[in-house]
Amino acid sequence: MSATPPPSTIGLHHVALKTKEWDRSLSFYGEQLGFVTTITWTMPTGKRAAMLDMGGGHYLEVFEDPAYTPAPDGALIHLALRTADVDAATARVRDAGMRITVEPKDVTIETTNGRGPVPVRLSFFIGPNGETWEFFQNDRT
């Protein structure tokens, strides 16, 4: 199995989310998570959209949809953000009023491909649009 992506695939560029609460979403992602709004635009429907820089060439794209209601259990399991300090990142989102679903904890991933155990620290929270986020800290992946 090749560790290099095929020539047509360079890597993840962005994840796109719908939001019912435009101002709250942009404020949360900017102020609590430090994402930088790179571009914003208005769709032909009059709804707003933005591309937020998460760092490392990765973006969160946000689309306004005032009629949006999150699915109770959609196909997206969660979005994971690499962080150097799970505890501090979790405290920031808790202070912003987000619901923490898994408190910061240490987990060892017991690999099945001969790479040995991978220690990680993680936590999970629900974002302003009902999406599940994970803070993920380790030095192996």
Side-chain angles (χ1 to χ4, degrees), residues 8-80:
S8 62
T9 304
I10 298 170
L12 177 69
H13 181 270
H14 71 269
V15 173
L17 297 176
K18 286 183 183 180
T19 181
K20 181 180 234 171
E21 299 181 48
W22 177 260
D23 293 331
R24 181 176 182 224
S25 292
L26 265 57
S27 173
F28 172 75
Y29 294 121
E31 294 172 20
Q32 265 52 61
L33 297 182
F35 298 177
V36 177
T37 301
T38 303
I39 59 173
T40 61
W41 64 98
T42 302
M43 305 291 288
T45 61
K47 296 175 185 172
R48 296 173 285 186
M51 192 73 74
L52 310 177
D53 187 348
M54 298 190 297
H58 307 289
Y59 294 85
L60 176 67
E61 192 173 28
V62 180
F63 291 92
E64 179 183 41
D65 184 352
Y68 175 64
T69 301
D73 190 18
L76 180 66
I77 298 170
H78 67 266
L79 303 156

Side-chain angles (χ1 to χ4, degrees), residues 11 13 39 41 48 53 58 72 74 76 82-83 99 101 106-110 118-120 127 132-133 135 140:
H13 181 270
I39 59 173
W41 64 98
R48 296 173 285 186
D53 187 348
H58 307 289
L76 180 66
R82 180 181 307 279
T83 180
R99 184 168 58 96
T101 57
D106 294 315
V107 173
T108 299
I109 300 170
E110 298 295 342
V118 176
V120 302
T132 299
W133 287 91
F135 284 127
R140 300 258 322 262

Side-chain angles (χ1 to χ4, degrees), residues 84-121:
D85 188 340
V86 165
D87 297 86
T90 303
R92 247 189 348 267
V93 299
R94 184 190 323 275
D95 291 347
M98 299 301 119
R99 184 168 58 96
I100 307 303
T101 57
V102 175
E103 292 291 336
K105 67 178 182 176
D106 294 315
V107 173
T108 299
I109 300 170
E110 298 295 342
T111 65
T112 58
N113 63 348
R115 301 289 175 122
V118 176
V120 302
R121 185 153 180 82

